[in-house]
C-alpha cells in the first residue's frame, strides 16, 4: 500500500466535481493518454515508444492554462525550487519558471528533452532508469527542499510506491505541494464523438493496463497526501483546457497514441485512409480549425 511511505495525516476532501459531471461521466471516446513523455519510474519498454512519438507529441499536446500554476503557487509557502517530473517538451517546466526561482525538469526520454526550449531558470536533466532513489534525491534535492513537485499526464505509468517515497523525501515540510494532473477526453461535436467512439474501440487491445487510471479520470489513483483544496484521493478536481485545434493537429495527436504505435509494430494499421476520411468528414473538412475543450482532472496534496 503506497500510504506506508507517508506519515499519517488527515485528508478531508470536499466534493469538487460538479453534479453535472457526476451524472454525465467522461466519455472515453478520445483518450489523450500517451502524449506525455515517459517518466523515471516507468517501465523501460515504454521509453522507446515515446522516443518515436517525440515530434508528434511536441505539436499535438494541449497547453495547460496559466491559472493552474497560479493555483498551485499560491499554496506553497516558498518559491525557491520546483521539480517537474517527466517534463517531456518542457511545457510545465517553462510555466513553473514564472513562479519559482529555479526549476528542475527531468525525463527518461532524451528525445523529448532535446526538443525542450532552453530557459535561464530551467535545468533539464536526463534521469535514466538505472538511477537509485538516493541518486535521484541527490540530483534534485537535498531532502525537504522542493516547494512544488508536478507530474503532467504521466503519473499513472509510475511505480507509485517508489515515486511517492521519493516525493515524500524531497518535498518541503511544511509548505510544499505535490500535484498531478491529466486529461482523457475532448469535446468536439456529437457527430465527431460517434466516430471517435468507434475508433477508440479498435484501439482497446493495444493499450497498457496502467491506462485505466487515466480512463477513470484518476478517481481510483492512489494519492495518499493531505488535501490542499485542489482535489484529493478519490475526488479529483474537474478542470478544462480550451484549445484551437486543426484537423492536422488532431491527426498528429491520435498518431502519437502508444496504442496506435504498438498496433503498427504488430502489423495492424488503426488509421487507414478510410478511417482518416471518416474523421475528416465528421470534423467538417481538413481546413477547418475548431474550438475544442479537453476534459482534465487534478490532484494536489502535501506531506
Amino acid at each position: 500500500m503506497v500510504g506506508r511511505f507517508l506519515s499519517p495525516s488527515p485528508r478531508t476532501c470536499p466534493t469538487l466535481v460538479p453534479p453535472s459531471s457526476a451524472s454525465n461521466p467522461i466519455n472515453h471516446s478520445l483518450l489523450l493518454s500517451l502524449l506525455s513523455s515517459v517518466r523515471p519510474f516507468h517501465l523501460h519498454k515504454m521509453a522507446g515508444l515515446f522516443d518515436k512519438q517525440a515530434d508528434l507529441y511536441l505539436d499535438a499536446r494541449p497547453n495547460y492554462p496559466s491559472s493552474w500554476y497560479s493555483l498551485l503557487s499560491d499554496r506553497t509557502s516558498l518559491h525557491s525550487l520546483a521539480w517537474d517530473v517527466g517534463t517531456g517538451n518542457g511545457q510545465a517546466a517553462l510555466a513553473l519558471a514564472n513562479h519559482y526561482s529555479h526549476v528542475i525538469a527531468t525525463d527518461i526520454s532524451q528525445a523529448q528533452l532535446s526538443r525542450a526550449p532552453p530557459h535561464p531558470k530551467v535545468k533539464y536533466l536526463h534521469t535514466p532508469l538505472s538511477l537509485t532513489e538516493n541518486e535521484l534525491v541527490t540530483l534534485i534535492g537535498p531532502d525537504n527542499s522542493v516547494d512544488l513537485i508536478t507530474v503532467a499526464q504521466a503519473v499513472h505509468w509510475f511505480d507509485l510506491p517508489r515515486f511517492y517515497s521519493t516525493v515524500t523525501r524531497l518535498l518541503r515540510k511544511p509548505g510544499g505541494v505535490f500535484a498531478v494532473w491529466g486529461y482523457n477526453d475532448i469535446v468536439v461535436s456529437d457527430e465527431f464523438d460517434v466516430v471517435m467512439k468507434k475508433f477508440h474501440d479498435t484501439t482497446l487491445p493495444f493499450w497498457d493496463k496502467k491506462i485505466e487510471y487515466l480512463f477513470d479520470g484518476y478517481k481510483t489513483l492512489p494519492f495518499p497526501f493531505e488535501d490542499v483544496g485542489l482535489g484529493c484521493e478519490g475526488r479529483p478536481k474537474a478542470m478544462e483546457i480550451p484549445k484551437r485545434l486543426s484537423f492536422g493537429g488532431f491527426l498528429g495527436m491520435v498518431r502519437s497514441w502508444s496504442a496506435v504505435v504498438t498496433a503498427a509494430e504488430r502489423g495492424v494499421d488503426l488509421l487507414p485512409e478510410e478511417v482518416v476520411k471518416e474523421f475528416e468528414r465528421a470534423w467538417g473538412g481538413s481546413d477547418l480549425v475548431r474550438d475544442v475543450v479537453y476534459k482534465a482532472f487534478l490532484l494536489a496534496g502535501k506531506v
Side-chain angles (χ1 to χ4, degrees):
M1 178 67 183
V2 295
R4 71 178 184 272
F5 293 100
L6 301 176
S7 302
S9 59
R11 293 193 305 249
T12 57
C13 184
T15 302
L16 293 170
V17 180
S20 59
S21 299
S23 60
N24 187 21
I26 289 176
N27 180 353
H28 292 162
S29 63
L30 185 52
L31 296 166
L32 311 175
S33 50
L34 297 189
L35 295 176
S36 57
S37 61
V38 172
R39 274 55 177 183
F41 305 88
H42 180 40
L43 301 176
H44 177 72
K45 68 179 182 178
M46 299 303 294
L49 283 175
F50 283 106
D51 285 346
K52 296 172 186 177
Q53 294 166 281
D55 285 323
L56 288 172
Y57 165 79
L58 184 61
D59 293 333
R61 189 177 188 174
N63 298 317
Y64 305 124
S66 59
S67 59
W68 291 17
Y69 303 100
S70 296
L71 287 171
L72 294 169
S73 174
D74 289 345
R75 283 165 170 78
T76 64
S77 58
L78 298 176
H79 298 85
S80 176
L81 177 61
W83 176 27
D84 185 39
V85 191
T87 197
N89 63 16
Q91 180 191 154
L94 294 173
L96 290 170
N98 293 323
H99 300 274
Y100 293 85
S101 300
H102 305 282
V103 178
I104 295 177
T106 61
D107 205 290
I108 198 174
S109 170
Q110 188 64 61
Q112 294 280 4
L113 289 173
S114 68
R115 291 159 174 80
H119 189 285
K121 289 186 177 182
V122 179
K123 182 178 183 180
Y124 295 104
L125 296 175
H126 181 227
T127 48
L129 287 168
S130 58
L131 287 179
T132 66
E133 180 178 312
N134 285 337
E135 288 172 333
L136 186 59
V137 169
T138 299
L139 190 66
I140 306 299
D143 287 16
N144 195 38
S145 66
V146 183
D147 301 300
L148 177 65
I149 299 175
T150 58
V151 186
Q153 192 72 358
V155 77
H156 47 280
W157 298 118
F158 292 5
D159 177 340
L160 292 178
R162 180 188 174 196
F163 179 53
Y164 288 170
S165 176
T166 304
V167 168
T168 302
R169 289 181 59 180
L170 284 169
L171 200 64
R172 188 182 300 280
K173 297 172 281 293
V177 171
F178 170 46
V180 302
W181 62 85
Y183 50 95
N184 66 358
D185 195 19
I186 187 174
V187 176
V188 180
S189 69
D190 291 342
E191 179 184 2
F192 188 84
D193 289 347
V194 171
V195 177
M196 272 307 308
K197 175 62 168 63
K198 182 170 68 172
F199 171 71
H200 169 246
D201 288 346
T202 70
T203 71
L204 291 176
F206 305 101
W207 290 107
D208 187 283
K209 286 166 55 175
K210 286 190 175 183
I211 202 66
E212 288 298 329
Y213 285 136
L214 199 75
F215 281 11
D216 70 13
Y218 285 179
K219 290 184 178 68
T220 60
L221 179 78
F223 195 75
F225 297 88
E226 185 178 349
D227 175 40
V228 296
L230 290 175
C232 65
E233 187 175 70
R235 295 179 180 178
K237 181 174 176 61
M239 310 288 276
E240 291 187 344
I241 310 172
K243 185 178 177 67
R244 293 275 290 170
L245 186 64
S246 68
F247 181 69
F250 162 76
L251 280 183
M253 176 183 62
V254 174
R255 285 174 175 145
S256 77
W257 287 4
S258 72
V260 174
V261 175
T262 298
E265 291 177 343
R266 297 179 186 175
V268 179
D269 183 6
L270 295 178
L271 283 168
E273 184 177 355
E274 60 268 23
V275 173
V276 173
K277 289 296 184 184
E278 188 174 14
F279 273 136
E280 183 180 331
R281 287 191 296 270
W283 187 267
S286 60
D287 296 330
L288 182 62
V289 177
R290 283 184 169 272
D291 289 306
V292 304
V293 175
Y294 295 93
K295 294 297 185 179
F297 31 88
L298 170 69
L299 293 167
K302 61 184 179 180
V303 176

